[in-house]
């Protein structure tokens, strides 16, 4: 249980965050804008958030001295799910921690995560938890083919996943992934993919952002399109599902829920969730009445979630390290000269293929389609 604090926590209180990547950096901007101080814990001396934070504790995430230092903050949050949940629970005996270590722990592990999704009364893709090679019998695997074997922990951007089309391939894939706990999931025929960001302070104060329609390239999010090009009824159903999941977890904070849309009747299946703001919610920075990062600040401080209204149709495009290669230079003029484009760069030094370096959002007064077409065209020109 998180230590009882006098709420709400108001500026200029010091807020702490585990992790100083781009999500931590955008959190820091939101918190500073609202008048709070920010302390970032991250072992990387060049962590993107560190340059903007008031204080950077440059130490490993399990360093006891560093955690004690962080625990003097009025509230603590996280920018990634692979933090030590035990450390979060320990911090919670000293200060307010949102989301809870328990919730973070559930989202760290696909096996636990899927069990919780089912417990919340929602559907996942058919799957088999796999902890030993012997569990991959022909009988167990065949109904899940073609399938995808995913490591239960530490996967992101499509990493730690192998597609399989026979039981033999499934067993080989399990070996290749190092015989760590996995889930074998049936590959679904996707109509589209969407995600919903839910901001929950308690069972009375919950708000969802409009679903984003997400396009991936090589397993990495490439574009979000908002509003998603789906009937209103489907969008409402997706938001209700995200709220249902947050309620079941008694979640406090910002939760991202990835959802598969299946078939012409738009059946909705939960893929996975993240206990934090999400890449597919970056559009909120430029297109909504509040951003997902402002919501993260508000909820950790015990303030009600702000208005989540979409103010403009938009499309967000990720900028990966590939754009910087081979010479490390990019001409930003085509983006910056446009009044309808908003550029965000994360201040990362080294561009590597597939590394998330920034994003831009195109706004359109007309439609999400137009915003998406323009985002796609501009992306190709870089
Ligand atoms: P990550 O943690 O890397 O985001 P995901 O489970 O979200 O892992 O998988 C990444 C992408 O792979 C998904 O966004 C989707 O495009 C595709 N994918 C994953 N699982 C399935 C599935 N069961 N059926 C169809 N596509 C899938
Ligand atoms: Mg995913």
């Amino acid at each position: 249980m998180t230590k009882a604090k006098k709420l709400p926590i108001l500026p200029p209180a010091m807020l702490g965050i585990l992790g100083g990547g781009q999500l931590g950096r955008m959190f820091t901007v939101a918190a500073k804008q609202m008048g709070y101080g920010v302390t970032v814990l991250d072992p990387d001396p060049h962590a993107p958030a560190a340059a903007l934070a008031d204080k950077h504790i440059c130490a490993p995430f399990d360093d006891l001295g560093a955690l004690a230092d962080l625990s003097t903050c009025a509230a603590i949050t996280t920018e990634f799910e692979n933090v030590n949940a035990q450390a979060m629970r320990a911090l919670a005996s000293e200060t307010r921690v949102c989301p809870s270590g328990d919730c973070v722990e559930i989202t760290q592990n696909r096996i636990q995560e899927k069990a919780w999704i089912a417990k919340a009364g929602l559907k996942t893709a058919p799957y088999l938890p796999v902890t030993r090679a012997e569990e991959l019998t022909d009988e167990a695997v065949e109904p899940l083919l073609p399938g995808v074997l995913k490591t239960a922990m530490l996967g992101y951007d499509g990493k730690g996943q192998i597609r399989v089309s026979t039981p033999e391939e499934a067993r080989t894939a399990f070996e290749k992934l190092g015989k760590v706990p996995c889930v074998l999931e049936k590959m679904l025929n996707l109509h589209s993919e969407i995600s919903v960001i839910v901001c929950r302070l308690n069972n009375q104060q919950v708000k969802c952002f409009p679903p984003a329609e997400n396009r991936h390239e090589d397993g990495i999010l490439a574009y979000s399109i908002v509003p998603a090009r789906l009937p209103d009824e489907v969008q409402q159903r997706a938001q209700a599902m995200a709220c249902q999941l947050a309620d079941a977890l008694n979640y406090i904070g910002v939760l991202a829920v990835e959802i598969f849309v299946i078939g012409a009747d738009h059946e909705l299946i939960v893929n996975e969730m993240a206990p934090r703001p999400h890449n597919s919610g970056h559009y909120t920075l430029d297109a909504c009445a509040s951003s997902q990062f402002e919501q993260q600040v508000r909820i950790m401080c015990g303030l009600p979630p702000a208005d989540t209204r979409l103010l403009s149709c938009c499309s967000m495009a990720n900028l990966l390290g590939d754009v910087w290669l081979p010479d490390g230079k990019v001409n930003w003029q085509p983006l910056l000269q446009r009044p309808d484009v908003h550029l965000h760069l994360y201040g990362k030094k080294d561009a590597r293929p597939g590394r998330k370096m920034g994003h831009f959002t195109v706004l359109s007064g007309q439609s999400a389609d137009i915003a998406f077409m323009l985002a796609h065209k501009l992306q190709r020109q870089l």
Side-chain angles (χ1 to χ4, degrees), residues 16 22 105 129 223 267 350:
Q22 66 268 21
E105 192 163 50
Y223 299 95
E267 188 187 359
D350 303 315

Side-chain angles (χ1 to χ4, degrees), residues 110 150 156-158 161 185-186 188 193 258 271-272:
R110 292 187 196 276
K150 303 179 179 178
Y156 70 100
D157 289 346
Q161 300 192 10
E185 237 178 86
K186 193 176 174 66
L188 302 173
E193 294 188 56
E258 294 182 16
N271 173 29
E272 59 172 354

Side-chain angles (χ1 to χ4, degrees), residues 12-321:
M14 182 65 85
L15 307 179
I17 184 161
L18 292 154
Q22 66 268 21
L23 298 177
R25 179 177 167 109
M26 291 181 268
F27 164 84
T28 301
V29 172
K32 297 291 299 172
Q33 187 171 302
M34 293 163 77
Y36 293 96
V38 176
T39 297
V40 171
L41 172 60
D42 194 301
D44 177 3
H46 303 294
L52 306 181
D54 296 272
K55 180 171 164 181
H56 177 198
I57 307 171
C58 190
F61 292 113
D62 54 2
D63 183 303
L64 293 179
L67 290 168
D69 196 355
L70 193 68
S71 73
T72 61
C73 291
I76 295 172
T77 188
T78 181
E79 66 141 21
F80 69 130
E81 48 275 39
N82 294 314
V83 287
N84 184 327
Q86 195 49 47
M88 288 186 80
R89 284 188 281 262
L91 285 170
S93 64
E94 301 297 324
T95 189
R96 180 173 164 88
V97 177
C98 307
S100 68
D102 291 352
C103 284
V104 169
E105 192 163 50
I106 290 164
T107 64
Q108 280 173 357
N109 185 308
R110 292 187 196 276
I111 299 173
Q112 286 189 43
E113 183 175 60
K114 287 187 192 303
W116 268 93
I117 293 164
K119 205 166 151 183
L122 300 171
K123 277 183 89 170
T124 63
Y127 73 101
L128 173 75
V130 186
T131 52
R132 291 178 301 120
E134 299 79 69
E135 289 162 337
L136 289 167
T137 59
D138 291 3
E139 298 70 43
V141 172
E142 265 152 15
L144 300 172
L145 297 176
V148 52
L149 190 72
K150 303 179 179 178
T151 58
M153 298 185 77
L154 299 172
Y156 70 100
D157 289 346
K159 294 185 177 65
Q161 300 192 10
I162 301 178
R163 297 199 178 185
V164 298
S165 46
T166 64
E168 195 48 49
E169 278 177 25
R171 291 187 281 266
T172 311
F174 186 65
E175 298 256 334
K176 267 199 196 145
L177 292 173
K179 298 185 189 167
V180 295
C182 285
V183 293
L184 176 64
E185 237 178 86
K186 193 176 174 66
M187 280 302 288
L188 302 173
N189 201 355
L190 307 184
H191 170 281
S192 50
E193 294 188 56
I194 59 175
S195 55
V196 175
I197 312 277
V198 41
C199 316
R200 186 178 186 278
L201 178 63
N202 54 44
N203 56 7
Q204 303 296 312
Q205 292 168 300
V206 190
K207 283 201 163 78
C208 286
F209 284 106
E213 178 183 335
N214 300 320
R215 294 287 188 96
H216 296 82
E217 287 173 9
D218 300 326
I220 306 177
L221 182 69
Y223 299 95
S224 295
I225 305 159
V226 193
R229 293 165 299 179
L230 290 165
D232 286 349
E233 171 274 321
V234 180
Q235 308 212 26
Q236 282 155 16
R237 210 157 19 101
Q239 289 183 319
M241 281 170 61
C243 290
Q244 203 173 321
L245 204 43
D247 279 340
L249 291 163
N250 197 14
Y251 192 87
I252 304 174
V254 172
L255 179 74
V257 183
E258 294 182 16
I259 298 171
F260 293 149
V261 184
I262 312 289
D265 59 347
H266 304 124
E267 188 187 359
L268 300 181
I269 299 240
V270 180
N271 173 29
E272 59 172 354
M273 49 190 173
R276 51 171 173 79
H278 193 261
N279 195 169
S280 65
H282 290 355
Y283 80 88
T284 61
L285 285 162
D286 299 305
C288 289
S290 63
S291 77
Q292 59 174 349
F293 303 101
E294 177 180 349
Q295 305 282 29
Q296 187 178 18
V297 174
R298 293 178 68 93
I299 293 169
M300 75 191 287
C301 291
L303 294 162
D307 189 353
T308 50
R309 243 176 327 154
L310 185 69
L311 302 178
S312 171
C313 299
C314 68
S315 179
M316 188 266 343
N318 263 342
L319 292 165
L320 302 182

Side-chain angles (χ1 to χ4, degrees), residues 1-16:
M1 202 56 202
T2 193
K3 187 168 183 177
K5 279 259 171 187
K6 190 173 168 291
L7 297 179
I9 295 160
L10 297 173
M14 182 65 85
L15 307 179

